Amino acid sequence: MLKVNYNNKEYKFPQMNPMQWNSYVYGTINLDNNWRELDYKNGGHTLNIGAISYFEVPKQLFNELYKSEFFFSEQIINEIEDGESFEKLPIIYFNLDINFTKIFDFNTYESVLIGNIKSKFPTFKELENLVLDKEIIEDSLLRLSDSFNYEPTLTAIRFGKIKNNSINLICIAEFETRNKTKGVIEINVWLPINFYFEAGVYSNSFPNLSIKERLIEVRDCFATVYNISEYDLTEKIVDQKNKRVKIQFQNKKWN
């Protein structure tokens, strides 16, 4: 659910089905060609952590949102002003980037942890029930659809429990309108965990290796950072022509 509290009113936007809408919490990294020469676990590389989800704008909110200062939707305007009718409801897109390291040496490209995530490559078990602290929140980024007229500022990020390879995620953000009225946004969702390493994202990635060889690179790289025996592996060919591959790693304890 996405909730907006604004001007003494609460607006609720239900979450779309995560499996149908490809919504997830992710931990991912794209391999460098020379990853075997680098110390991923202790050097300048970190796991990319974030989340993607979608929310639906209920029909019963159209009139209120049409008059609201904080929200904009062309579809709502067309339905109310021109009497047009659309089969599908407007969708709100949610994207969260969690930044928990900073590069401090541009010669070695080593990174330093900030806040209370204590590993550059944390497991999701380490994130379970973790309330992220101020340093991480201030460096992270929340993006919502253009429907929101004012940019939100994150004030809280919390991971909850893990169940069946899904994790509870709560985000709080604030915004202020032109007339200095403040609003609060709360996102509370259960999202599948997509935990994967990838090779071949760029055209010059592993140019001389076959798809099979690239998958070996991905498995070997993952095994230098995590205990690979604790995970089930699902190999995927993202782009056959360009030999882009990724492997999803799912903790066996959650299956």
Side-chain angles (χ1 to χ4, degrees):
M1 180 75 72
L2 185 157
K3 297 179 184 177
V4 178
N5 285 286
Y6 176 74
N7 205 17
N8 298 317
K9 293 182 180 179
E10 184 177 69
Y11 303 82
K12 294 182 179 181
F13 306 90
Q15 183 186 12
M16 307 296 288
N17 186 314
M19 301 306 293
Q20 292 181 356
W21 280 80
N22 200 24
S23 304
Y24 48 86
V25 168
Y26 62 82
T28 183
I29 193 168
N30 302 320
L31 272 64
D32 292 311
N33 288 352
N34 62 336
W35 73 265
R36 293 183 184 274
E37 303 167 19
L38 304 172
D39 183 2
Y40 265 32
K41 194 166 186 177
N42 302 303
H45 292 79
T46 59
L47 190 70
N48 299 311
I49 301 176
I52 295 170
S53 193
Y54 301 85
F55 303 89
E56 197 171 59
V57 181
K59 200 89 169 178
Q60 60 266 30
L61 291 183
F62 278 19
N63 285 325
E64 287 187 72
L65 293 173
Y66 173 74
K67 300 171 186 176
S68 167
E69 185 185 4
F70 75 87
F71 197 85
F72 170 83
S73 167
E74 254 186 53
Q75 180 176 331
I76 291 176
I77 292 172
N78 291 338
E79 290 212 16
I80 291 178
E81 293 185 357
D82 302 328
E84 294 187 42
S85 180
F86 297 86
E87 183 179 347
K88 294 182 179 179
L89 293 170
I91 302 300
I92 298 170
Y93 170 69
F94 156 72
N95 187 298
L96 175 69
D97 294 325
I98 297 175
N99 299 312
F100 59 101
T101 64
K102 290 184 178 179
I103 294 176
F104 70 95
D105 187 333
F106 287 95
N107 293 315
T108 62
Y109 289 96
E110 290 184 348
S111 56
V112 59
L113 291 163
I114 60 174
N116 59 342
I117 295 180
K118 300 303 182 183
S119 166
K120 295 176 185 178
F121 286 88
T123 66
F124 276 92
K125 189 64 181 174
E126 292 174 61
L127 300 179
E128 187 176 22
N129 296 321
L130 183 65
V131 179
L132 301 186
D133 57 15
K134 183 179 178 181
E135 290 89 345
I136 295 175
I137 293 167
E138 289 179 345
D139 216 43
S140 296
L141 178 64
L142 169 66
R143 294 187 295 273
L144 294 168
S145 299
D146 293 338
S147 300
F148 286 85
N149 294 329
Y150 301 94
E151 186 175 350
T153 301
L154 275 166
T155 60
I157 304 171
R158 180 171 71 83
F159 287 102
K161 291 184 177 297
I162 294 173
K163 293 181 181 178
N164 301 322
N165 200 45
S166 290
I167 192 167
N168 183 219
L169 173 66
I170 297 172
C171 297
I172 308 292
E174 296 178 346
F175 65 92
E176 185 175 274
T177 61
R178 197 174 290 108
N179 64 11
K180 303 300 180 182
T181 303
K182 293 186 177 181
V184 177
I185 298 169
E186 178 183 342
I187 295 118
N188 189 332
V189 287
W190 279 89
L191 292 172
I193 296 169
N194 276 7
F195 192 26
Y196 55 83
F197 280 35
E198 193 165 356
V201 174
Y202 306 108
S203 58
N204 62 345
S205 296
F206 304 99
N208 300 318
L209 299 187
S210 66
I211 285 178
K212 184 177 180 180
E213 289 170 328
R214 292 183 184 208
L215 288 169
I216 292 172
E217 292 294 313
V218 175
R219 287 197 300 272
D220 287 355
C221 182
F222 185 88
T224 66
V225 181
Y226 296 102
N227 183 351
I228 198 169
S229 66
E230 295 180 355
Y231 294 85
D232 287 327
L233 281 58
T234 303
E235 297 179 348
K236 298 181 181 181
I237 301 172
V238 180
D239 185 337
Q240 182 86 36
K241 179 181 177 182
N242 296 305
K243 298 186 289 186
R244 181 178 171 187
V245 299
K246 68 180 178 183
I247 299 178
Q248 182 169 354
F249 299 88
Q250 185 171 329
N251 194 300
K252 293 177 180 178
K253 297 176 183 177
W254 302 336
N255 295 339

